[in-house]
Amino acid sequence: MRIGPLLAILGAGLRRNLAVTSAVVITAAVCLGMLGAGLLLRAEVHTIDGYLVDQLEVVVDLADDITPAQRATLVDDLKADPAVLTVRYEDKQQVYERFKRDFRSSPDVAAGVRPTDLPAALRLRLVDPRAGDQIVLGYTGRDGVEAVRDQRALLRPLYRVLDGFSIAAFALAAVQAAASGALIYTMIRVSAHARRRETAIMRLVGATNATIRAPFVLECALSGLTGGMVAAAALVICKAFLVDGHFAHQTTFPLFGWDAVWVSGGAVVALGALAAAAMGSLALHRHLRA
């Protein structure tokens, strides 16, 4: 089919089904916006993880009754461990000074602690900071070891919260996707039924199913594309005014960059057009077989 007649049929179809098309665009925009939000939350998890992973350590708290020989053996074993990059010893006073720095915003907490209350420690930097669980399992219970702490465990509640928001966004996107699919299916069946005489005439003059299907599929693709563009624009606005304009001044963690927004925006635009076109093609395929 030539481009001119195809565009004319496409325009006529959109005008006839303006209300349904608008509903598809709005529903698709909400669905794809939720999907984009989920993708950006996943990007934030990776951003925080990448920022903190090289700063976190595994801390081996030493028992008060550890002997010099036990400590020397433990240090030698840690230095020989291929997973350990560096080992640094801190006595009780150094641990206390670090404790005061960490709790400088809570002077009441620091005021009740003395150097003798805190254990000396070995602070470990790992070759792979994500392998802290192996060190915890391997050295917990050793002679002279009071406890082994992986500082990554402190961030797990934060990761769980962000993952929970991501899952919720994806779940809402899935529900909206079902609604969008139902609307697209209805739009195609209504539009095809309204143009059944035109379709019959096209068949009589030898038009193929692909030629008959093309205007309908383009209607769906255009609706999905428009919804995706609305969702992508919403992501850009949220990044510019909410993330950079509000959250950036209230958190010590780095926030996802514009590259994540462009990737997520491009994904929702492409997915909107392709998924809508696929759903429209399926609906019309069943109509043509009926």
Side-chain angles (χ1 to χ4, degrees), residues 13-29:
L14 291 174
R15 287 192 299 271
R16 290 177 182 175
N17 301 285
L18 184 59
V20 179
T21 301
S22 300
V24 171
V25 170
I26 294 171
T27 307

Side-chain angles (χ1 to χ4, degrees), residues 119-204:
L122 297 173
R123 305 187 74 88
L124 315 179
R125 298 294 297 272
L126 305 184
V127 175
D128 180 6
R130 295 178 177 85
D133 290 343
Q134 301 175 12
I135 300 297
V136 173
L137 293 174
Y139 290 90
T140 298
R142 289 278 298 265
D143 292 338
V145 174
E146 181 177 305
V148 183
R149 296 178 285 116
D150 181 7
Q151 291 183 334
R152 281 177 58 83
L154 300 175
L155 297 177
R156 285 172 187 161
L158 173 63
Y159 291 152
R160 283 197 293 268
V161 170
L162 292 175
D163 287 340
F165 280 121
S166 299
I167 293 172
F170 289 143
L172 288 174
V175 173
Q176 291 292 332
S180 297
L183 277 174
I184 291 171
Y185 186 87
T186 301
M187 180 185 75
I188 289 300
R189 296 304 295 266
V190 169
S191 180
H193 180 75
R195 284 186 268 173
R196 61 190 182 278
R197 293 183 60 185
E198 298 174 20
T199 302
I201 293 172
M202 293 175 69
R203 279 179 167 174
L204 290 175

Side-chain angles (χ1 to χ4, degrees), residues 75-96:
V75 170
D76 290 340
D77 291 346
L78 286 169
K79 288 182 177 179
D81 194 317
V84 178
L85 189 62
T86 62
V87 180
R88 188 175 71 259
Y89 172 72
E90 289 186 349
D91 60 24
K92 286 177 173 288
Q93 184 62 37
Q94 291 172 317
V95 171
Y96 177 67

Side-chain angles (χ1 to χ4, degrees), residues 40-60:
L40 291 181
L41 285 170
R42 294 303 304 163
E44 178 62 14
V45 171
H46 292 305
T47 300
I48 294 176
D49 190 57
Y51 170 73
L52 293 177
V53 70
D54 293 330
Q55 304 182 36
L56 299 179
E57 299 175 319
V58 173
V59 181
V60 180

